[in-house]
Amino acid sequence: MPGLDFSAALTCLKMGDRVARSGWNGNGMWLEIARGGTYIDHDILEQPLSRHFIVMFTADGELVPWVASQTDILANDWETVNG
């Protein structure tokens, strides 16, 4: 679903969807929640919510922890990504 604000994108993340911004420069980049403090080969380990964090799949094919910028938070170009 295109044209989401950050709040809606965050809700989608919490439901297990991947999200991305249409305005990002890199092709194929997306975010998802890593659960359990361990993220190996896209396997999610269930742990308490306090151990969850957001990761980005980068244009280079790397998974890295992600922190939203003010621009990301205020953007209205978020969309869900099929996984």
Side-chain angles (χ1 to χ4, degrees), residues 3 13 17 21 24 28 36 41-42 44 46-47 52-53 56-57 60-61 65 75-76 81:
L13 278 173
D17 294 329
R21 287 195 52 210
W24 280 341
D41 297 327
H42 302 272
I44 298 172
E46 295 297 333
Q47 294 291 323
H52 297 183
F53 58 98
M56 172 185 271
F57 184 80
D60 297 332
N76 290 313
V81 177

Side-chain angles (χ1 to χ4, degrees), residues 10-55:
L10 187 56
T11 297
C12 291
L13 278 173
K14 289 177 180 180
M15 293 186 324
D17 294 329
R18 292 177 178 168
V19 299
R21 287 195 52 210
S22 62
W24 280 341
N25 293 329
N27 291 330
M29 295 169 50
W30 45 261
L31 305 177
E32 72 180 12
I33 293 182
R35 290 168 167 76
T38 302
Y39 204 81
I40 302 170
D41 297 327
H42 302 272
D43 290 332
I44 298 172
L45 304 177
E46 295 297 333
Q47 294 291 323
L49 185 60
S50 63
R51 302 216 31 211
H52 297 183
F53 58 98
I54 298 173
V55 292

Side-chain angles (χ1 to χ4, degrees), residues 71-83:
T71 303
D72 292 323
I73 292 169
L74 296 173
N76 290 313
D77 64 348
W78 289 94
E79 56 192 20
T80 57
V81 177
N82 293 330

